[in-house]
Amino acid sequence: MAGWRRRIAGRRRFLGLAALGAAGLAACDSGAPSGQRPVPAGSPQASTAARPAPSVTQVENARPGNADWAVTRAGAPDAIEGFADRVSVLPGESFGLYVSTTAPAFRIRAYRMGWYGGARARLVWQSGALPGTRQNGASVEAATRMVRTGWRRTTTVATAGWPEGCYLLRLDAEDGSGQRFVPVTVRSAATAGRTVVVNAVTTWQAYNDWAGYNLYNGPSGGLPTRSLQVTFDRPYKYDDGAGLFLVYEAPLIALAERLGLPLAYTTTVDLARDAALLHGATAVLSLGHDEYWSPEQRSHVAAARDAGTNLAVLGANCCFRRVRYEPSELGPDRVVVCYKGAWKQDPGYREGKPPTTDFRDSPGADPESSLLGVIYDGYPVDAPYVVTSPGHWLFAGTGVKAGDSFPHLVGVEYDRVNTGFPTPRPIEIVAHSPVVCESRHSYADTAYYTVPSGAGVFASGTMRWVEALDANGIGGTRADHGMDAHAGDLVRRVTENLLTAFAAGPAGHAHPAADNVAAVYGRG
């Protein structure tokens, strides 16, 4: 196993929580899987999908990678850390970098994350030695409990010659005392004819508890002292500064780039800002944990779907929270506002702006199921993934049979089809997995629906989908939630089938959904 893979697997948790598997928080039987195993992707027995003509993605990934990109010596919490003053830039644009370190000097190494023959990254640029400075401590805004750094800009980074893509800047203290990541996206100006990878930076920031506050917790460890808004003007604490990127997004990006698909790159902030960004895109990918959306982002994605752009939701709990962006001292859209249950206290709401609470809640209730087909149903669970429709085109090449199950693939949050909420039709449920969530029996559903524009919409129904792309071993460990190579083979093949079909254009033309809700649930 490559060194980076060992290190990432060792940190793989759901936002700091240990994997649930053996703890039995979900009471489903997670014993040995049944039935025929899927054929591993790339094996001689597997069917080979048609590959597109050589693309920019293929040319980029033919370059030598750098397998030594991972943080191997994080050091003390204050050894070195930083943030960028832009979540994304266009190729050639510059951004400011804000760094605090106890070391006298440090260097920056910019890695573009992708496939690169399995190395997963390429070193695109590196700085010389830069003087290190210990910046001031954080302050907390009294009214909203938002953490502010007030740091001074350390340096400006130009991206001339950097290809579009997802980047991790690694900050290396010259004295060896520490390393940290700073993520930034070199975004695409246009997406026509391409599959769009969306970095869920808004959700990364919602869970970021740098300096002790995020949208869930404060010093008391609960809602009463949580932040009501958070800012991108601070480092990410999770995963050595990478936020949620390495666990919930990097494995999918590696697979998509390995396939050589024409790809475009953007962030949730950019999707909200630019109504025309998705014009002509073949597909939009929402990755493993993409919970926080603005109404503008949702409107733009729905409009793209209705114009023929496919949508793949490769996680769960997607599009659940409604947020608003506001400026910070460093620029526009740098503050994420989400008052949740305290929405009446939000000054923006009092000025007539939408409430920053859950999309499904009043006022202005608009359940996420009308876009996704599925709806968030609960947390926490740990359960087998159960195949319902083995003949579906998504399962081509897997060799699965009805009832085959894959332990631990459903977790830690899950979605289902629930026609008690607005649900697009026709919709197909291709996997229907029993779960028990806090003593409540339910199901996690993998679903696919199509619309008159021809667009197809896929929802995995489990937050572990992207994580499973890296499941290659015997399973059973806390680090990988117990998922084994059989689960990994299934998810890799289904995802390849999905991405290849979605990259070809409106999937509903070749693969119209055949509604089976009544057959699966016994009611329509």
Side-chain angles (χ1 to χ4, degrees), residues 263-318:
L263 299 175
Y265 308 84
T266 193
T267 74
T268 47
V269 174
D270 298 300
L271 277 186
R273 183 184 296 151
D274 187 352
L277 181 59
L278 297 179
H279 285 182
T282 55
V284 179
L285 307 183
S286 167
L287 305 184
H289 197 180
D290 189 10
E291 179 179 349
Y292 287 76
W293 288 40
S294 69
E296 294 82 5
Q297 177 186 348
R298 180 169 173 173
S299 174
H300 299 162
V301 171
R305 175 202 60 183
D306 294 343
T309 298
N310 302 305
L311 171 62
V313 179
L314 302 171
N317 191 216
C318 178

Side-chain angles (χ1 to χ4, degrees), residues 42-222:
S43 70
Q45 295 81 16
S47 61
T48 57
R51 296 291 188 259
S55 64
V56 173
T57 305
Q58 289 173 306
V59 172
E60 171 62 27
N61 276 269
R63 297 179 177 181
N66 299 86
D68 60 349
W69 57 268
V71 166
T72 58
R73 52 181 194 281
D78 61 350
I80 190 167
E81 55 188 347
F83 65 90
D85 63 8
R86 308 273 295 277
V87 297
S88 73
V89 292
L90 292 171
E93 289 185 339
S94 299
F95 60 89
L97 192 64
Y98 296 68
V99 178
S100 177
T101 180
T102 57
F106 71 98
R107 294 177 188 265
I108 310 164
R109 291 174 171 86
Y111 293 93
R112 184 187 181 278
M113 309 305 291
W115 172 241
Y116 300 105
R120 294 288 182 98
R122 180 173 76 86
L123 179 62
V124 172
W125 172 83
Q126 58 185 323
S127 73
L130 299 169
T133 302
R134 178 74 182 273
Q135 303 257 22
N136 293 331
S139 62
V140 180
E141 183 180 272
T144 64
R145 298 181 292 277
M146 181 176 72
V147 172
R148 296 180 181 274
T149 58
W151 291 358
R152 289 187 289 183
R153 179 183 291 198
T154 304
T155 190
T156 299
V157 177
T159 64
W162 295 23
E164 297 172 3
C166 307
Y167 285 77
L168 290 179
L169 277 61
R170 198 180 72 199
L171 310 178
D172 296 335
E174 278 283 88
D175 61 5
S177 60
Q179 297 175 310
R180 288 294 190 283
F181 287 127
V182 175
V184 69
T185 303
V186 177
R187 72 180 186 272
S188 305
T191 64
R194 294 193 275 175
T195 295
V196 184
V197 174
V198 182
N199 295 133
V201 295
T202 312
T203 300
W204 303 357
Q205 195 55 248
Y207 283 90
N208 179 21
D209 64 348
W210 187 85
Y213 290 83
N214 62 17
L215 291 180
Y216 293 85
N217 300 305
S220 71

Side-chain angles (χ1 to χ4, degrees), residues 31 64 124 130 189 218 242 291 305 309 315 361 383 408 413 420 427 435 462 473 480 494 505 521:
V124 172
L130 299 169
E291 179 179 349
R305 175 202 60 183
T309 298
D361 289 346
H408 309 297
E413 299 188 271
I427 187 166
V435 300
T462 171
D480 62 11
V494 171
Y521 275 100

Side-chain angles (χ1 to χ4, degrees), residues 311-314 372 385 394 430 446-449 456-461 465 494 498 502:
L311 171 62
V313 179
L314 302 171
L372 311 181
Y385 182 89
L394 285 165
V430 301
T446 297
Y448 169 76
Y449 78 85
V457 177
F458 170 86
S460 71
W465 191 268
V494 171
L498 174 73
F502 276 21

Side-chain angles (χ1 to χ4, degrees), residues 18-28 30 381-383 408 464 476-478 481-482:
L20 302 176
L25 289 177
C28 295
S30 54
V381 298
D382 179 85
H408 309 297
R464 290 181 183 161
T477 70
R478 295 176 65 195
H481 307 296

